[in-house]
Amino acid sequence: MDASCIAQASLGSTGFSYTLSLINGKYKMTILYTLMCFGVVRFNEMKKYIGGISYKTLSSTLKELEADGLVHREEYPQIPPKVEYSLTDRGRSLIPILDAMCDWGEKNRR
């Protein structure tokens, strides 16, 4: 971009910025990747798979992703409680991006 163009532009109004606002966060991409790979996942399974994430962080991050329409939460009325998470159609639309990141990582890791 040349100087005259960038002087009139705003990163905040780009599609890149919007996408980043949805997936920005320490564990959001990891959670989306987990759901992409395994489909329907229960909370404790995800916690074990990711490792290093606290229950509180996982819970709040899932709530954010659900509020953004990327993750679906299905709660079953039983004892003990059963909750499953999966990608919504909107979340699945991110799969090509996640796949491209995986491909890039496989080609460029040492």
Side-chain angles (χ1 to χ4, degrees), residues 23-39:
I23 62 174
N24 193 25
K26 185 171 182 180
Y27 291 104
K28 284 186 177 181
M29 290 294 290
T30 304
I31 290 168
L32 293 170
Y33 174 80
T34 302
L35 294 172
M36 177 187 81
C37 291
F38 298 103

Side-chain angles (χ1 to χ4, degrees), residues 34-90:
T34 302
L35 294 172
M36 177 187 81
C37 291
F38 298 103
V40 177
V41 181
R42 294 182 69 179
F43 185 90
N44 285 330
E45 294 171 332
M46 192 174 312
K47 167 95 172 67
K48 287 178 190 172
Y49 178 73
I50 295 172
I53 187 172
S54 71
Y55 287 103
K56 182 180 178 182
T57 301
L58 179 56
S59 178
S60 65
T61 305
L62 282 165
K63 285 177 185 173
E64 289 175 19
L65 290 167
E66 185 182 7
D68 289 334
L70 300 176
V71 169
H72 173 71
R73 181 181 190 268
E74 185 72 36
E75 188 172 346
Y76 298 92
Q78 65 185 49
I79 299 204
K82 178 181 174 184
V83 179
E84 295 178 335
Y85 295 91
S86 60
L87 292 175
T88 62
D89 288 340
R90 189 174 190 211

